[in-house]
Coordinates of all heavy atoms in Angstrom, one line a residue:
M297 N -24.1 1.0 6.6 CA -23.8 1.0 8.0 C -24.4 -0.2 8.6 O -25.6 -0.6 8.3 CB -24.4 2.2 8.6 CG -24.0 3.5 8.0 SD -22.3 3.9 8.5 CE -22.4 4.1 10.2
K298 N -23.7 -0.9 9.5 CA -24.3 -2.1 10.2 C -25.4 -1.6 11.0 O -25.3 -0.7 11.8 CB -23.3 -2.8 11.1 CG -22.1 -3.4 10.2 CD -22.5 -4.7 9.8 CE -21.3 -5.4 9.1 NZ -21.5 -6.8 8.8
A299 N -26.5 -2.4 11.0 CA -27.7 -2.0 11.9 C -27.5 -2.7 13.3 O -26.8 -3.7 13.4 CB -29.0 -2.6 11.2
T300 N -28.1 -2.1 14.3 CA -28.0 -2.7 15.6 C -29.5 -2.8 16.2 O -30.4 -2.3 15.5 CB -27.3 -1.7 16.5 OG1 -28.0 -0.5 16.7 CG2 -25.9 -1.3 16.0
A301 N -29.6 -3.4 17.3 CA -30.9 -3.6 17.9 C -31.6 -2.3 18.2 O -32.8 -2.2 18.1 CB -30.7 -4.4 19.2
Q302 N -30.8 -1.2 18.5 CA -31.4 0.1 18.7 C -32.0 0.7 17.5 O -32.9 1.6 17.5 CB -30.3 1.1 19.3 CG -29.8 0.7 20.7 CD -28.9 -0.5 20.7 OE1 -28.2 -0.8 19.7 NE2 -28.9 -1.2 21.9
D303 N -31.7 0.2 16.3 CA -32.2 0.6 15.0 C -33.5 0.0 14.7 O -34.1 0.3 13.6 CB -31.2 0.4 13.9 CG -29.9 1.1 14.1 OD1 -29.9 2.2 14.5 OD2 -28.9 0.4 13.8
M304 N -34.0 -0.9 15.5 CA -35.2 -1.7 15.1 C -36.4 -0.9 14.7 O -37.1 -1.2 13.8 CB -35.6 -2.7 16.3 CG -36.6 -3.8 15.8 SD -36.0 -4.8 14.4 CE -34.8 -5.8 15.2
P305 N -36.8 0.3 15.3 CA -37.9 1.1 14.9 C -37.8 1.5 13.5 O -38.7 1.4 12.7 CB -37.9 2.2 15.9 CG -37.3 1.7 17.2 CD -36.2 0.8 16.7
K306 N -36.6 2.0 13.1 CA -36.4 2.4 11.7 C -36.4 1.2 10.7 O -37.0 1.3 9.6 CB -35.1 3.2 11.5 CG -34.8 3.7 10.2 CD -35.8 4.8 9.8 CE -35.5 5.4 8.4 NZ -36.5 6.5 8.1
I307 N -35.8 0.1 11.2 CA -35.8 -1.1 10.3 C -37.3 -1.6 10.0 O -37.7 -1.8 8.9 CB -35.1 -2.2 11.1 CG1 -33.6 -1.9 11.1 CG2 -35.3 -3.6 10.3 CD1 -32.8 -2.8 12.1
M308 N -38.1 -1.6 11.1 CA -39.5 -2.1 10.9 C -40.3 -1.0 10.2 O -41.2 -1.4 9.4 CB -40.1 -2.4 12.2 CG -39.4 -3.7 12.9 SD -39.2 -5.1 11.7 CE -40.9 -5.5 11.3
E309 N -40.0 0.2 10.3 CA -40.7 1.3 9.5 C -40.5 1.0 8.0 O -41.5 1.0 7.3 CB -40.2 2.6 9.9 CG -40.8 3.8 9.0 CD -40.1 5.1 9.3 OE1 -39.7 5.3 10.5 OE2 -40.0 5.9 8.4
I310 N -39.3 0.8 7.6 CA -39.0 0.5 6.2 C -39.6 -0.8 5.7 O -40.2 -0.8 4.7 CB -37.4 0.6 6.0 CG1 -36.9 2.0 6.1 CG2 -37.1 0.1 4.6 CD1 -35.4 2.1 6.1
I311 N -39.5 -1.8 6.6 CA -40.1 -3.2 6.2 C -41.5 -3.0 6.1 O -42.2 -3.6 5.1 CB -39.7 -4.2 7.3 CG1 -38.2 -4.6 7.2 CG2 -40.6 -5.4 7.2 CD1 -37.8 -5.3 5.9
N312 N -42.2 -2.3 7.1 CA -43.7 -2.2 7.0 C -44.1 -1.4 5.8 O -45.2 -1.6 5.2 CB -44.2 -1.7 8.3 CG -44.1 -2.7 9.4 OD1 -44.2 -4.0 9.2 ND2 -43.9 -2.3 10.6
D313 N -43.4 -0.4 5.4 CA -43.7 0.4 4.2 C -43.6 -0.5 3.0 O -44.5 -0.4 2.1 CB -42.7 1.6 4.1 CG -43.0 2.8 5.0 OD1 -44.1 2.8 5.6 OD2 -42.1 3.6 5.1
A314 N -42.6 -1.3 2.9 CA -42.4 -2.3 1.8 C -43.6 -3.3 1.8 O -44.1 -3.5 0.7 CB -41.1 -3.0 1.9
K315 N -44.0 -3.8 2.9 CA -45.1 -4.7 3.0 C -46.4 -4.0 2.4 O -47.1 -4.6 1.7 CB -45.4 -5.2 4.4 CG -44.3 -6.2 4.9 CD -44.6 -6.5 6.4 CE -43.6 -7.5 6.9 NZ -44.0 -8.0 8.2
W326 N -44.3 -11.1 1.5 CA -44.2 -10.4 2.8 C -45.6 -10.1 3.5 O -45.7 -9.2 4.3 CB -43.3 -9.1 2.8 CG -41.9 -9.4 2.5 CD1 -41.3 -10.5 2.2 CD2 -40.8 -8.4 2.5 NE1 -39.9 -10.4 2.0 CE2 -39.6 -9.0 2.2 CE3 -40.8 -7.0 2.8 CZ2 -38.4 -8.3 2.1 CZ3 -39.7 -6.3 2.7 CH2 -38.5 -7.0 2.4
P331 N -40.9 -10.5 6.7 CA -40.0 -10.6 7.9 C -40.5 -9.7 9.0 O -41.1 -8.7 8.9 CB -38.7 -10.0 7.3 CG -39.1 -9.0 6.2 CD -40.4 -9.6 5.7
D332 N -40.3 -10.3 10.2 CA -40.7 -9.6 11.4 C -39.5 -9.2 12.2 O -38.3 -9.4 11.8 CB -41.7 -10.5 12.2 CG -41.1 -11.9 12.6 OD1 -39.8 -12.0 12.5 OD2 -41.8 -12.7 13.0
E333 N -39.7 -8.7 13.4 CA -38.6 -8.2 14.3 C -37.6 -9.3 14.6 O -36.4 -9.1 14.6 CB -39.1 -7.6 15.5 CG -39.7 -6.2 15.3 CD -39.9 -5.4 16.7 OE1 -39.3 -5.8 17.7 OE2 -40.7 -4.5 16.6
A334 N -38.2 -10.5 14.8 CA -37.3 -11.7 15.2 C -36.3 -12.0 14.0 O -35.1 -12.2 14.2 CB -38.1 -12.9 15.5
V335 N -36.8 -12.0 12.8 CA -36.0 -12.2 11.5 C -34.9 -11.1 11.4 O -33.8 -11.4 11.1 CB -36.9 -12.3 10.3 CG1 -36.0 -12.3 9.0 CG2 -37.8 -13.5 10.4
M336 N -35.4 -9.9 11.6 CA -34.4 -8.8 11.5 C -33.4 -8.8 12.6 O -32.2 -8.5 12.3 CB -35.2 -7.4 11.5 CG -36.3 -7.4 10.4 SD -35.8 -7.9 8.8 CE -34.7 -6.7 8.2
M337 N -33.7 -9.2 13.8 CA -32.8 -9.3 14.9 C -31.8 -10.4 14.6 O -30.6 -10.4 14.9 CB -33.5 -9.6 16.2 CG -32.6 -9.6 17.4 SD -31.6 -8.0 17.6 CE -32.9 -6.9 18.0
E338 N -32.3 -11.5 14.0 CA -31.4 -12.6 13.6 C -30.3 -12.1 12.6 O -29.1 -12.4 12.7 CB -32.1 -13.8 13.0 CG -31.3 -14.9 12.7 CD -32.0 -16.2 12.2 OE1 -33.2 -16.3 12.4 OE2 -31.4 -17.0 11.6
D339 N -30.7 -11.3 11.6 CA -29.8 -10.6 10.7 C -28.8 -9.8 11.4 O -27.6 -9.8 11.1 CB -30.6 -9.8 9.7 CG -31.3 -10.7 8.6 OD1 -30.9 -11.8 8.3 OD2 -32.2 -10.0 7.9
I340 N -29.3 -9.0 12.4 CA -28.4 -8.2 13.1 C -27.4 -9.0 14.0 O -26.2 -8.8 13.9 CB -29.2 -7.3 14.1 CG1 -29.9 -6.2 13.4 CG2 -28.2 -6.6 15.2 CD1 -30.9 -5.4 14.2
N341 N -27.9 -10.1 14.6 CA -27.0 -10.9 15.4 C -26.0 -11.7 14.5 O -24.8 -12.0 14.9 CB -27.8 -11.9 16.2 CG -28.6 -11.2 17.3 OD1 -28.2 -10.2 17.8 ND2 -29.7 -11.9 17.7
D344 N -25.3 -9.3 9.5 CA -25.7 -9.3 8.0 C -26.6 -8.1 7.7 O -26.8 -7.8 6.5 CB -26.4 -10.6 7.6 CG -25.6 -11.8 7.7 OD1 -24.4 -11.7 7.6 OD2 -26.2 -12.9 7.8
L345 N -27.1 -7.4 8.6 CA -28.1 -6.3 8.3 C -27.5 -5.0 8.2 O -26.7 -4.6 9.1 CB -29.2 -6.3 9.3 CG -30.5 -5.5 8.9 CD1 -31.1 -6.1 7.7 CD2 -31.5 -5.3 10.0
Y346 N -27.7 -4.3 7.1 CA -27.2 -3.0 6.8 C -28.3 -1.9 6.6 O -29.3 -2.2 6.0 CB -26.3 -3.0 5.6 CG -25.1 -3.9 5.7 CD1 -25.2 -5.3 5.5 CD2 -23.8 -3.3 6.0 CE1 -24.0 -6.1 5.5 CE2 -22.7 -4.1 6.1 CZ -22.8 -5.5 5.8 OH -21.7 -6.3 5.9
F347 N -27.9 -0.7 6.9 CA -28.7 0.5 6.4 C -27.9 1.0 5.2 O -26.7 1.1 5.3 CB -28.7 1.6 7.4 CG -29.7 1.4 8.5 CD1 -29.3 1.3 9.9 CD2 -31.0 1.4 8.3 CE1 -30.1 1.1 10.9 CE2 -32.0 1.2 9.3 CZ -31.5 1.1 10.6
A348 N -28.6 1.4 4.2 CA -28.0 2.0 3.0 C -28.2 3.5 3.2 O -29.4 4.0 3.5 CB -28.6 1.5 1.8
T354 N -30.7 7.6 5.9 CA -31.1 6.2 5.6 C -32.1 6.1 4.6 O -33.2 6.7 4.7 CB -31.6 5.5 7.0 OG1 -30.5 5.5 7.9 CG2 -32.0 4.1 6.7
A356 N -32.6 2.8 2.8 CA -33.0 1.5 2.6 C -32.3 0.6 3.6 O -31.4 1.0 4.3 CB -32.5 1.0 1.1
I357 N -32.7 -0.7 3.7 CA -32.1 -1.7 4.4 C -31.9 -3.0 3.6 O -32.6 -3.1 2.6 CB -32.9 -2.0 5.7 CG1 -34.3 -2.6 5.3 CG2 -33.0 -0.9 6.6 CD1 -35.0 -3.4 6.4
L358 N -31.0 -3.8 4.0 CA -30.7 -5.0 3.3 C -29.9 -5.9 4.2 O -29.1 -5.5 5.0 CB -30.0 -4.8 2.0 CG -28.5 -4.4 2.1 CD1 -27.8 -5.0 0.9 CD2 -28.4 -2.9 2.1
A359 N -30.1 -7.2 4.0 CA -29.2 -8.3 4.5 C -28.3 -8.6 3.4 O -28.7 -9.0 2.4 CB -30.0 -9.5 5.0
R387 N -34.0 -9.6 2.0 CA -34.7 -8.6 2.8 C -34.3 -7.2 2.5 O -34.0 -6.4 3.4 CB -34.6 -9.0 4.2 CG -35.3 -10.3 4.6 CD -35.1 -10.9 5.9 NE -33.7 -11.4 6.2 CZ -33.3 -12.5 5.7 NH1 -34.0 -13.3 5.0 NH2 -32.0 -12.8 6.0
V388 N -34.3 -6.9 1.2 CA -33.9 -5.5 0.8 C -35.2 -4.7 0.6 O -36.2 -5.2 0.1 CB -33.1 -5.6 -0.5 CG1 -33.8 -6.1 -1.7 CG2 -32.6 -4.1 -0.8
A389 N -35.2 -3.5 1.2 CA -36.4 -2.6 1.1 C -35.9 -1.2 1.1 O -35.0 -0.8 1.8 CB -37.3 -2.8 2.2
V390 N -36.5 -0.4 0.2 CA -36.2 1.0 0.1 C -37.3 1.8 0.7 O -38.5 1.5 0.6 CB -36.1 1.5 -1.4 CG1 -35.9 2.9 -1.6 CG2 -35.0 0.7 -2.2
G391 N -36.9 2.8 1.5 CA -37.9 3.7 2.2 C -38.8 4.3 1.2 O -38.4 4.7 0.1

Side-chain angles (χ1 to χ4, degrees):
M297 303 288 299
K298 294 277 185 168
T300 68
Q302 291 75 27
D303 299 317
M304 194 58 71
K306 183 65 174 178
I307 292 164
M308 292 314 297
E309 175 187 329
I310 293 172
I311 289 292
N312 289 330
D313 285 347
K315 288 179 178 184
W326 291 8
D332 57 16
E333 284 190 25
V335 170
M336 304 316 289
M337 186 56 68
E338 185 176 342
D339 284 339
I340 290 169
N341 291 338
D344 294 335
L345 193 64
Y346 295 84
F347 283 115
T354 297
I357 61 163
L358 72 148
R387 293 171 289 286
V388 60
V390 176

